């Protein structure tokens, strides 16, 4: 499989899983978290499919497309190893949906990062909430659920509390 194939599969799967998770959590209270803004493509999509929900962005340096830049008051700026613990105090009700796309091009590094960040993400999810990730996560108390039919297995993961 070429790098182009992998990239396309990741994009298609992100969109499919975000659409699926947004629909399944539509009736839940609690904010939505976007971990890793990057160019802002997934953030822009999340704003479009969840216009009435509060979306908070976690990013160490904002460098997104102008059309996909969150308002300052909805950004938790800094390293997620510092901002995720802060979010646990700030949002005691927990997030209804968390999307994480924090990785780079090195699969082994992404996996090591996922193992370290999983324990910080797990307590932030509200009961019934969903966590969508581009990398396999390592949770003790969340269950991995089936992907929607239009997602590519292994390119995206969904977990539920
Ligand atoms: C692959 S990009 C996200 C792409 C985004 N989903 C999009 O559609 O444009 C990953 C982002 O995660 C951010 N990131 C990676 N590690 C981080 C960390 N430890 N704390 C905060 N942000 C981090 C990077 O700065 C980068 O902007």
């Amino acid at each position: 499989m070429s790098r182009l194939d992998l990239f396309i599969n990741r994009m298609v799967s992100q969109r499919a899983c975000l659409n699926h998770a947004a629909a399944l959590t539509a009736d839940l209270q609690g904010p939505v978290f976007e971990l890793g803004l990057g160019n802002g493509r997934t953030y822009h999509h999340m704003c479009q499919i969840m216009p009435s929900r509060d979306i908070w962005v976690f990013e160490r340096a904002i460098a997104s497309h102008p059309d996909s830049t969150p308002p300052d008051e909805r950004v938790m700026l800094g390293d997620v190893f510092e901002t995720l613990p802060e979010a646990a105090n700030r949002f005691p009700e927990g997030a209804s949906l968390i999307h994480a796309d924090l990785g780079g091009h090195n699969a082994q590094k992404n996996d090591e990062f996922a193992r370290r960040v999983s324990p910080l993400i797990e307590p932030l999810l509200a009961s019934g909430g969903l966590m969508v990730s581009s990398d396999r996560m390592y949770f003790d108390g969340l269950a991995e659920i089936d992907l929607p039919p239009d997602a590519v297995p292994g390119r995206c993961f969904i977990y539920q509390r």
Side-chain angles (χ1 to χ4, degrees), residues 10 36-42 59-60 78-80 101-103 113:
R10 184 167 138 247
L37 178 65
N39 182 280
R41 289 189 188 94
T42 49
E59 172 60 59
R60 60 184 165 204
D79 192 297
V80 290
D101 183 21
L102 291 159
F113 186 91

Side-chain angles (χ1 to χ4, degrees), residues 5 13 24 37-38 45 56 59 67 70 73-74 76-77 82 86 92 94 97 100 110 131:
D5 291 329
S13 300
L24 289 177
L37 178 65
H45 189 71
W56 287 78
E59 172 60 59
D67 286 348
E73 64 272 18
R74 285 283 187 275
M76 299 277 291
L77 190 64
E82 293 176 8
E86 288 171 22
L97 196 170
N110 290 348
M131 196 268 159

